[in-house]
Amino acid sequence: MKVELIAYSRLNHRPFVNPLAIVEEAASACYDSVPSDEYNIAKRCVGSGHMSVLEHIGFTFHISEVSRALLAQLTRHRHASYTVRSQRYCDEANFDYVLPPSVEGLYNQENWYRNAMNQCAKAYSDLTELGVIANEDARMVLPNACHTELYVTMNARALIETGYERLCSRAQWEIRELFKRMQVEVDTVCPKVAEWMVPKCEKHADHPFCTERKSCGRHPKLSEVYKK
C-alpha cells in the first residue's frame, strides 16, 4: 500500500501556514472575532461539535497498491471525490494483488490463495489475448484482491468522520491501515486535524465509549457506562 498527500488547502495571502488558518479565519466571521494564530476559534468549534467549519479545507491523496475490495468500502463515504484506474480501459494482464495477513506466511493457505489469483490472471489473459471479449467484459473474472490506483479528495470534516468508522478496531484491516497512513500524511501539514482522526470510541476523548454491538474491549460499551 502506498499513500501520498499531494495537495491541501492553503490561504492565498499566507500560503505557508497551517491549513487550519483557513478554518480559523472563516469561523471568526461567525462571532465577529479576530483570528488567532493558535486557532482557538476553530478548536472551540470542533470541541463543541460544530464540524461544518472544517469543510473549508481539503486534502488530496494518491493511493496505490490497494485492493478493489478496499475501493468498494471507501466509496461508500459520499462526501469525497474519487478518480480511479479504469479496469474497462486499462490492461490488467499480470495484475498484482493484495495478500491478506491471514494467509501470509502460512504455506498451504498462501499457496492456495496465490494459485487462485494465478487462475484468475490466466482466465483474464485467455479471454483478452484470444480476442474473445474486450477488457471491459474480461474484467468480470478479476478478483477483489486485484490492485487498483486512485486519487481521493476529502474535506477535513469528511476525513475525520470517516476516520471514526475506519480507524475502529472492528473495521477491516486494509482500510484501517489506509486511514492510519492518511493520518500520518495529514500530520505533516495539519497536526490538529490528524489528532482529531480517531476511532469513534475516542471521539469524546474524556469520556470514551463503544457503540458497536460487538466491542473489541478497548473501551466500555455505552450500555456499560449507563449500567443498562
Side-chain angles (χ1 to χ4, degrees):
M1 179 187 296
K2 295 181 180 178
V3 179
E4 180 186 8
L5 177 66
I6 64 166
Y8 57 93
S9 302
R10 308 186 192 199
L11 281 169
N12 283 340
H13 58 283
R14 299 177 66 195
F16 301 109
V17 301
N18 190 311
L20 210 58
I22 301 172
V23 178
E24 181 73 6
E25 187 167 313
S28 68
C30 298
Y31 309 103
D32 197 19
S33 303
V34 178
S36 160
D37 286 338
E38 287 74 41
Y39 318 121
N40 293 329
I41 302 170
K43 292 174 185 177
R44 283 198 298 270
C45 284
V46 173
S48 299
H50 301 303
M51 302 289 283
S52 63
V53 293
L54 291 175
E55 295 172 15
H56 291 292
I57 58 175
F59 303 87
T60 298
F61 303 89
H62 177 208
I63 300 167
S64 59
E65 299 181 16
V66 295
S67 71
R68 295 285 293 198
L70 179 145
L71 175 65
Q73 296 181 77
L74 185 60
T75 53
R76 291 173 189 158
H77 301 284
R78 275 70 164 176
H79 300 291
S81 298
Y82 304 98
T83 302
V84 184
R85 174 184 170 88
S86 172
Q87 288 186 337
R88 182 181 184 192
Y89 295 109
C90 297
D91 183 0
E92 297 291 359
N94 302 313
F95 63 85
D96 207 347
Y97 52 85
V98 169
L99 181 67
S102 60
V103 301
E104 186 175 4
L106 300 176
Y107 182 76
N108 285 335
Q109 290 89 330
E110 183 171 333
N111 280 347
W112 289 333
Y113 184 88
R114 291 191 183 278
N115 285 337
M117 294 299 107
N118 291 338
Q119 289 171 23
C120 291
K122 185 178 185 306
Y124 179 88
S125 295
D126 287 348
L127 290 169
T128 55
E129 290 175 7
L130 295 174
V132 178
I133 58 177
N135 287 359
E136 67 178 24
D137 294 326
R139 62 179 167 163
M140 299 299 184
V141 303
L142 294 173
N144 269 335
C146 182
H147 274 182
T148 193
E149 177 182 6
L150 66 145
Y151 288 80
V152 58
T153 300
M154 289 186 175
N155 66 53
R157 180 183 187 177
L159 189 61
I160 291 166
E161 293 183 345
T162 304
Y164 290 159
E165 301 300 325
R166 299 307 184 178
L167 289 169
C168 173
S169 297
R170 296 283 297 165
Q172 189 254 0
W173 64 269
E174 189 183 15
I175 199 166
R176 189 167 67 247
E177 179 63 23
L178 171 65
F179 272 82
K180 287 179 180 178
R181 297 192 185 199
M182 292 168 76
Q183 183 183 33
V184 169
E185 290 291 297
V186 171
D187 187 57
T188 63
V189 298
C190 197
K192 202 64 187 176
V193 168
E195 181 183 320
W196 289 327
M197 290 177 67
V198 294
K200 58 188 172 184
C201 62
E202 296 177 358
K203 176 181 177 181
H204 304 289
D206 295 332
H207 308 284
F209 59 85
C210 176
T211 57
E212 287 286 318
R213 185 171 63 87
K214 293 182 178 180
S215 174
C216 72
R218 184 173 184 173
H219 294 295
K221 296 181 66 173
L222 190 59
S223 58
E224 296 169 356
V225 173
Y226 284 98
K227 307 301 180 185
K228 291 183 181 179

